[in-house]
Amino acid sequence: MKKIGILALFLGMSWGVSAQQIAQITMDGTPARITPYTGVEGSPYLFKDWVDADITLRNGKVREGVPLKVNIYEGELEVLLDGDNRIILNKRTVDAVKVPRPEGSFDASKGELPALVFKKGFTGIKGVKEDDFVNVLFESDAYTLIRVYHNTLQEPAKNTYATSPGQIFVVSTSFFLVDREGKSQGVRLAAKPILKALHPDHEQEAKRIVKAEGLKLSREDHVITLLQMLSE
C-alpha cells in the first residue's frame, strides 16, 4: 500500500505547458483506437468532454492543462495532441492525474469536490490491480479514502416498442477506507459505515468530532475533514 501523505502535492504548482512538453508526456503512449461503440448508449468516459488535467509523471515532474479523458470502461488515460491527435498514455510513466470536474457535473453545496485526483499502486482492494488508477479522496499515514469508478456494458430491459435494445454503459462507484496497516474495508459515505470502519481507538474521538463540527458523513468534504482531524 502506498503511503505518500495527505493530498497536497498538486496545490501551488504553476508549470506552463508547451506542445513539446505534452509530447514528452505521451512519448511512451500509443495512438488511440477508433472505438465508436456503435449502438451503445452512454459513454465509456468519466466525463464526455476533454478536461484540462494536471499530470504528475513518474520522475516527479508535473504538467498542467493537458487535454485529457479518463476512459473508465477501458481503464485508460487519453490525451489530445495538436488539436486532434488522440494518444493513450503509458500508465507506467504516470504517477497521478488531477482531473477538474466540469461545470454542472458536481454539486459543491452537497460537499462534492471540484477536482478528482487519480493514483495507482494500490493493492488489497477487490477488483483493483496495481496499475489501475483510482480516485484518492484523502491520503495520510493513518487513513486513505478511495473511490473506484466502474463502467460496464449491460443489456437494457427489453422494450416491446424497441426494434433493437442495443447496449448501455452503466456507471457505478464503490468506496474503500484503508488503515495504516493497509487493510481495506468497503464503505458507504454515511455516518454508521464510516465510523464502524475506523480504528477502534478512534471511534469515540470520531463521534466527538462529528458532533462538535456538525459533520454530515454523506458529504465528501465532511468525511475528508473527519479523516484529516483523526490523522493529525
Side-chain angles (χ1 to χ4, degrees), residues 12-192:
M13 295 178 176
S14 58
W15 280 268
V17 180
S18 66
Q20 182 179 0
Q21 288 172 324
I22 296 176
Q24 291 172 351
I25 292 175
T26 60
M27 62 184 302
D28 292 326
T30 58
R33 299 179 300 276
I34 299 176
T35 311
Y37 299 109
T38 303
V40 179
E41 184 179 346
S43 172
Y45 299 102
L46 177 61
F47 304 120
K48 65 177 183 179
D49 296 323
W50 296 95
V51 295
D52 292 333
D54 298 341
I55 299 176
T56 300
L57 302 178
R58 187 176 179 180
N59 61 12
K61 293 182 179 181
V62 179
R63 298 293 182 263
E64 293 185 332
V66 181
L68 176 140
K69 281 186 177 183
V70 179
N71 189 326
I72 305 173
Y73 180 70
E74 303 285 355
E76 296 172 342
L77 302 174
E78 294 183 20
V79 296
L80 192 63
L81 305 180
D82 304 323
D84 59 0
N85 188 15
R86 293 167 53 237
I87 300 294
I88 298 174
L89 290 178
N90 182 341
K91 291 190 285 187
R92 292 195 303 269
T93 67
V94 180
D95 269 353
V97 179
K98 182 181 179 183
V99 180
R101 280 171 160 166
E103 186 176 353
S105 68
F106 71 102
D107 190 341
S109 68
K110 294 182 180 180
E112 295 178 346
L113 304 180
L116 305 175
V117 174
F118 289 86
K119 291 186 175 184
K120 63 180 181 179
F122 294 93
T123 58
I125 298 176
K126 184 177 180 180
V128 175
K129 302 186 294 293
E130 189 171 2
D131 64 346
D132 288 340
F133 280 90
V134 296
N135 175 211
V136 181
L137 288 92
F138 176 85
E139 189 174 14
S140 74
D141 289 336
Y143 294 106
T144 300
L145 180 63
I146 290 172
R147 169 168 40 207
V148 180
Y149 284 93
H150 312 276
N151 198 344
T152 58
L153 271 176
Q154 298 182 14
E155 298 286 345
K158 290 186 177 180
N159 187 327
T160 56
Y161 298 100
T163 57
S164 177
Q167 290 181 307
I168 184 172
F169 283 108
V170 177
V171 179
S172 60
T173 59
S174 53
F175 293 87
F176 297 88
L177 187 64
V178 186
D179 63 20
R180 62 171 63 94
E181 285 81 29
K183 180 182 177 181
S184 65
Q185 298 184 60
V187 296
R188 291 183 296 109
L189 293 194
K192 187 174 181 179

Side-chain angles (χ1 to χ4, degrees), residues 195 198 202-211 226 230:
L195 293 174
L198 297 174
H202 284 159
E203 184 176 355
Q204 293 306 313
E205 176 65 7
K207 290 180 179 179
R208 184 196 67 78
I209 292 172
V210 169
K211 183 177 181 180
L226 173 63
L230 291 174

Side-chain angles (χ1 to χ4, degrees), residues 209 213 215 220-230:
I209 292 172
E213 302 293 330
L215 300 181
E220 296 175 12
D221 57 348
H222 284 199
V223 176
I224 292 171
T225 295
L226 173 63
L227 298 177
Q228 171 76 67
M229 296 181 73
L230 291 174

